[in-house]
Amino acid sequence: MRQLFTLLVLSLLLSTSNTEAQNVITRDDEALSRLSCTSIMVGKKASTDGSVITSHTCDSWYRTWMEMIPAADHKKGEMVTIYDGRMHTQSLSDSTKMYKKGEIPQVEHTYRFLDSAYPCLNEHQVGIGETTISGREELQNKKGIFMIEELCRIALQRSKTAREAIMVMGDLIKKYGYGDSGECLTIADKNEVWIFEVFGEGPDKIGGVWAAVRIPDEEVAVSANISRISTLNLDDSKNYLASDNVFAVAKKMKFWDGKEPFRFWKAYSGSNYFGEDKNYSTREFYIMSSIAPSLNLSDTVQELPLSVKPDKKVSAKDVMLFLASTYEGTPFNLSERLRIKNPKHDKDTTGTEPDSIVSPVANPWMRPDEINMFYALGDSTMKNIRTVSVPWSAYSTVIQLRSWLPDEIGGIAWILLDNPGESPRFPIFCGNTKLPDLLKTCGNHVCRDDAALWYYRKANRLATVKWGTMGPDIISARNYFIDKGFAEIETLEKRFEQLSKEEQTELLNGYTADFFAATIVKWMDLERSFWKKTWTGF
C-alpha cells in the first residue's frame, strides 16, 4: 500500500514547479493555526478486540490541564453556567479571560467525566473526539451561547450513549444557539461510533444546523479538519440523524438549489481547507488508503467515502501509530527528504556506501523557516506539508470502549501530552476519580515545573535538534509504553474483578498514577541524555 501512496505523492511533487512549491510553503505556513486535530473512528467489528474506538489530537494552543469532575446531584431550579474561554485557562479554578455566555437549567443528576480542553470521556463509556472543520463564515452567529467544548461538557454529564449525547446537543443547539465555527465531534459508546458535524444557522437566527452519521460496525472513518458527511438518508434513523432545518438552511443561504442531490459537506463547508472541491485532504487519504489498500482509493476524486472496511482489523495501537504518523516511507516525510553527501562514500572500497545519506539534523516536523532556508539554498525537495502528528499538539486521546467489561475499567482514554509522534501514552479509566497533580496545571502558556506537559516537551524538542541521532531513542521509549499498556491490561482486569468497589477505584487511581509517573521519569532521563549528546553544540 505504501508503494501506491508513494507513487501518488511522487506524481504530485513532480508536477509542481519551483514557483508553485514556494506557494505551497507559504500557504501551509499561513494555514498552520487552523490545520488542527485529527480523529480516527473504529467500529466494534472493525477492531481487533471488539472495542469501539474514537480519538483526537488536540493540535493547537489549548489548555493541557485535566481533571476528573465527579458525578453530582442537583436541586430543582438550579442553573448551570455556559462559558467561553475555558480552553485557555490554567487550571480548574482559573477563570482568567473566561466569559459567561448564558445559563441553562441543570438536570437532577450529572455524570462523572474527564474534563480536558475538549471533554472526552464519562463514567458510562461515552467518548468524544474532535476536529475543527470551520466551514462557511456566513453561517457563524456568535450570539449562540454554546461553543463546541461546552457542548461536549454538557453532553458527557447527561448521556449514557452516543446517540443520547447527539440528541442532547441537538436540543441545546436549537434552544440556546451554537456560537462556534464549524466543528466535528466523533462520538462513541461501547456499541457504536458516530460522526457529528455542526455549524451555525447564519446571522438571522440564533440556532444551528447539524448532521450525524453512524459509522458501520465493520468500518473505520477519519476526520481531519474537513467536513466529511455527504448524503443523508433521514428515513434511516438508526444510522442518520440531523437537525430539522438541515435542508431549509442550505436553501435559504443559497448553498443548495434544492434540485441537485444534497451533500452536507458541499452545502455547509463547500471545500476543504485549501479551497479544493473535495471532502478530504492528505491525512484522510493517507490513513484510509493505508487501512484499505485493496480499494485503490484515488486522491483525484471529489469525495472519498465517509468510512471504509479495513483489509485487516484495526487495533487501538494501530490508531495510536496512525496519529503518530509523519508519512514515513513516502516523499512527504521531511526527515527522509533532506540529504547530504555521505562522508564514507569516497573512502569506500566495497561499493556499498551510497553517495548521499539523510542529514542527521533533518526531522519530520521542520519549521517553515527551516524549510524555506533549505529551499533558498537550492533544495527544491523541501516543501512543507502538514503531517498527522505535529509538535504544536497540546494533547491526544485514543479512547477504547469495551462492552464486555464493567464501565469503570471498560472505558480507557489513552492520553499523551505534546507531540503524538514522540510522547508516551498513559491510561485514564472511566472509573478514575482523581488524577496526578501534574496533570492539573496547564503548561501551554507558561513553561512551568508543576505542569506535566514540559516533562515531555523538553526531551521531545531536544530530540528534533538532531533527529537522526536522538529520534530513535524517543521512538523506542514511546513504543515501549504503548506495548507496556496493552501487555498489562489483562492482568489489571483480572485483579479488578476480585476487588470491592472501593478497592477497584483505588486500584485504577493508583495504576494511572504509577504508569504516568513512569513516563515522566523516562522522559526526564531522555532529556538528560540528549543534553549530554549536545556537548559539541547543536
Side-chain angles (χ1 to χ4, degrees):
M1 189 273 125
R2 288 197 185 280
Q3 290 179 336
L4 168 66
F5 187 72
T6 299
L7 288 173
L8 290 168
V9 172
L10 278 172
S11 66
L12 172 64
L13 293 178
L14 292 173
S15 65
T16 306
S17 69
N18 286 349
T19 301
E20 289 170 334
Q22 185 60 50
N23 288 339
V24 170
I25 294 169
T26 303
R27 180 177 69 174
D28 280 0
D29 188 11
E30 293 173 347
L32 287 181
S33 63
R34 55 193 176 89
L35 303 195
S36 51
C37 306
T38 305
S39 180
I40 301 172
M41 299 145 271
V42 183
K44 63 182 178 181
K45 293 182 181 179
S47 67
T48 54
D49 65 351
S51 60
V52 180
I53 300 172
T54 188
S55 58
H56 178 207
T57 60
C58 183
D59 301 335
S60 194
W61 197 250
Y62 295 144
R63 66 169 167 96
T64 59
W65 67 262
M66 300 178 185
E67 287 266 19
M68 293 300 299
I69 306 301
D73 294 319
H74 304 279
K75 297 178 181 178
K76 187 175 181 180
E78 190 175 332
M79 302 294 284
V80 57
T81 302
I82 306 302
Y83 294 100
D84 187 7
R86 289 186 81 239
M87 302 282 276
H88 298 284
T89 50
Q90 299 298 300
S91 65
L92 179 62
S93 61
D94 180 29
S95 60
T96 306
K97 295 185 178 180
M98 198 168 82
Y99 304 102
K100 178 179 177 180
K101 296 255 327 195
E103 289 184 333
I104 64 171
Q106 183 59 282
V107 293
E108 184 177 344
H109 180 78
T110 52
Y111 306 129
R112 181 176 64 250
F113 73 100
L114 176 54
D115 189 5
S116 45
Y118 295 92
C120 63
L121 180 66
N122 77 7
E123 63 179 287
H124 295 291
Q125 294 201 64
V126 178
I128 300 180
E130 180 275 346
T131 164
T132 300
I133 55 178
S134 296
R136 301 181 188 272
E137 292 183 1
E138 306 98 299
L139 289 167
Q140 192 166 353
N141 188 329
K142 295 185 178 181
K143 293 180 181 178
I145 74 169
F146 273 99
M147 306 300 283
I148 195 67
E149 65 273 16
E150 288 289 77
L151 276 177
C152 292
R153 176 172 70 95
I154 300 301
L156 288 175
Q157 287 184 308
R158 301 182 178 191
S159 306
K160 291 185 176 181
T161 68
R163 181 184 291 266
E164 188 177 3
I166 291 167
M167 301 311 296
V168 165
M169 292 190 295
D171 288 343
L172 293 172
I173 290 165
K174 186 172 183 177
K175 290 179 183 177
Y176 303 103
Y178 178 71
D180 214 336
S181 63
E183 287 280 353
C184 168
L185 299 179
T186 58
I187 310 170
D189 58 34
K190 52 197 172 186
N191 293 304
E192 57 187 28
V193 59
W194 292 72
I195 183 169
F196 168 92
E197 295 180 354
V198 58
F199 300 89
E201 197 170 333
D204 297 335
K205 186 173 181 181
I206 301 173
V209 59
W210 59 270
V213 179
R214 183 176 180 269
I215 305 304
D217 291 343
E218 302 83 2
E219 298 191 3
V220 177
V222 185
S223 177
N225 306 128
I226 296 167
S227 178
R228 301 277 290 117
I229 294 176
S230 184
T231 56
L232 297 173
N233 179 11
L234 298 184
D235 291 330
D236 178 10
S237 59
K238 180 181 178 182
N239 297 297
Y240 296 89
L241 297 169
S243 55
D244 55 16
N245 60 356
V246 67
F247 302 121
V249 171
K251 279 187 178 181
K252 177 184 176 183
M253 301 290 287
K254 301 188 186 309
F255 299 146
W256 176 54
D257 62 11
K259 299 176 183 178
E260 65 179 14
F262 178 82
R263 288 179 290 172
F264 187 82
W265 75 267
K266 186 75 171 174
Y268 290 106
S269 185
S271 67
N272 66 16
Y273 47 71
F274 286 141
E276 299 167 326
D277 188 23
K278 294 180 176 181
N279 76 335
Y280 66 95
S281 190
T282 307
R283 280 173 283 161
E284 291 91 349
F285 178 71
Y286 172 75
I287 296 170
M288 295 174 81
S289 296
S290 297
I291 64 174
S294 63
L295 295 180
N296 293 317
L297 297 175
S298 169
D299 69 343
T300 62
V301 297
Q302 187 183 56
E303 280 191 359
L304 284 184
L306 177 60
S307 59
V308 295
K309 185 175 181 178
D311 287 4
K312 62 178 183 179
K313 292 188 176 184
V314 176
S315 68
K317 180 178 178 179
D318 293 331
V319 174
M320 294 174 186
L321 295 180
F322 274 124
L323 295 180
S325 174
T326 59
Y327 308 131
E328 50 275 23
T330 79
F332 275 170
N333 189 309
L334 281 175
S335 64
E336 297 173 11
R337 226 185 293 165
L338 183 62
R339 305 189 72 85
I340 59 173
K341 183 179 178 180
N342 182 0
K344 298 180 181 179
H345 176 71
D346 292 342
K347 299 178 182 179
D348 177 38
T349 59
T350 65
T352 57
E353 288 287 344
D355 59 359
S356 66
I357 58 173
V358 175
S359 169
V361 301
N363 74 75
W365 308 283
M366 298 177 75
R367 301 187 312 273
D369 56 341
E370 292 178 286
I371 295 168
N372 285 333
M373 177 184 69
F374 288 115
Y375 188 86
L377 292 172
D379 190 342
S380 61
T381 68
M382 296 304 290
K383 300 162 188 170
N384 192 19
I385 184 141
R386 202 278 193 197
T387 48
V388 183
S389 66
V390 290
W392 61 86
S393 183
Y395 68 93
S396 171
T397 64
V398 172
I399 299 175
Q400 268 188 291
L401 308 164
R402 303 177 297 167
S403 61
W404 62 94
L405 290 166
D407 287 340
E408 291 85 355
I409 196 168
I412 312 173
W414 296 96
I415 304 286
L416 65 76
L417 302 178
D418 200 54
N419 188 344
E422 297 178 288
S423 292
R425 290 187 183 270
F426 54 88
I428 297 177
F429 300 88
C430 286
N432 278 93
T433 58
K434 61 182 180 180
L435 300 180
D437 287 344
L438 282 176
L439 288 173
K440 298 178 181 180
T441 302
C442 177
N444 233 350
H445 299 281
V446 178
C447 180
R448 47 195 300 173
D449 291 337
D450 59 348
L453 176 69
W454 283 97
Y455 289 89
Y456 304 112
R457 181 164 284 175
K458 289 176 182 179
N460 290 350
R461 293 301 180 273
L462 281 172
T464 61
V465 171
K466 205 168 184 179
W467 185 251
T469 301
M470 304 176 189
D473 293 339
I474 280 278
I475 297 300
S476 176
R478 180 200 74 189
N479 292 343
Y480 166 81
F481 282 104
I482 291 176
D483 293 338
K484 170 183 166 69
F486 292 116
E488 294 177 353
I489 193 67
E490 187 175 345
T491 301
L492 185 73
E493 290 163 1
K494 290 179 179 179
R495 187 179 171 195
F496 179 88
E497 293 175 355
Q498 300 168 356
L499 303 176
S500 67
K501 284 289 185 182
E502 185 177 335
E503 291 171 330
Q504 288 173 344
T505 300
E506 185 178 349
L507 172 68
L508 296 179
N509 286 339
Y511 184 77
T512 292
D514 289 347
F515 199 113
F516 167 76
T519 68
I520 292 288
V521 170
K522 179 60 179 177
W523 255 248
M524 291 174 65
D525 181 60
L526 285 169
E527 180 194 348
R528 287 190 290 266
S529 71
F530 292 162
W531 277 118
K532 185 177 179 180
K533 290 179 180 180
T534 64
W535 70 278
T536 59
F538 289 131

